[in-house]
Amino acid sequence: MLFLTGHGAAFGTGTAVAKALEAALAKTGPEMQSRLRRLDAAGLKKAIGEHLSDPEIKALLARRDRILEIAGSAAGR
């Protein structure tokens, strides 16, 4: 599934995941979940750190955690 958004939503400092996306995110498959779990601050800094501040990286990781939480809750149903 592809979600289109603006830079501010993708890389801003907000940590909330839009309620409207939760149903689709609940369908996040095992491969994507595995890739999300491997995403960490060091890897982000290496890949795109020159474009993001530390608070933006922290927020991105918080959103990653929320996506994994949503996907995990759906798997447990």
Side-chain angles (χ1 to χ4, degrees):
M1 180 152 308
L2 176 66
F3 297 104
L4 301 177
T5 188
H7 179 84
F11 299 110
T13 56
T15 59
V17 173
K19 234 3 179 176
L21 297 178
E22 288 189 9
L25 293 172
K27 298 174 186 174
T28 302
E31 177 63 25
M32 178 58 84
Q33 289 181 45
S34 175
R35 289 173 184 240
L36 287 170
R37 282 188 197 93
R38 291 192 307 264
L39 185 66
D40 63 11
L44 284 169
K45 283 186 183 217
K46 183 177 179 185
I48 57 176
E50 66 184 78
H51 304 290
L52 300 179
S53 67
D54 286 344
E56 289 169 327
I57 289 173
K58 185 176 178 180
L60 194 153
L61 293 172
R63 292 189 302 273
R64 174 218 48 201
D65 292 345
R66 180 65 182 128
I67 292 167
L68 288 169
E69 180 182 310
I70 292 166
S73 293
R77 289 184 196 161

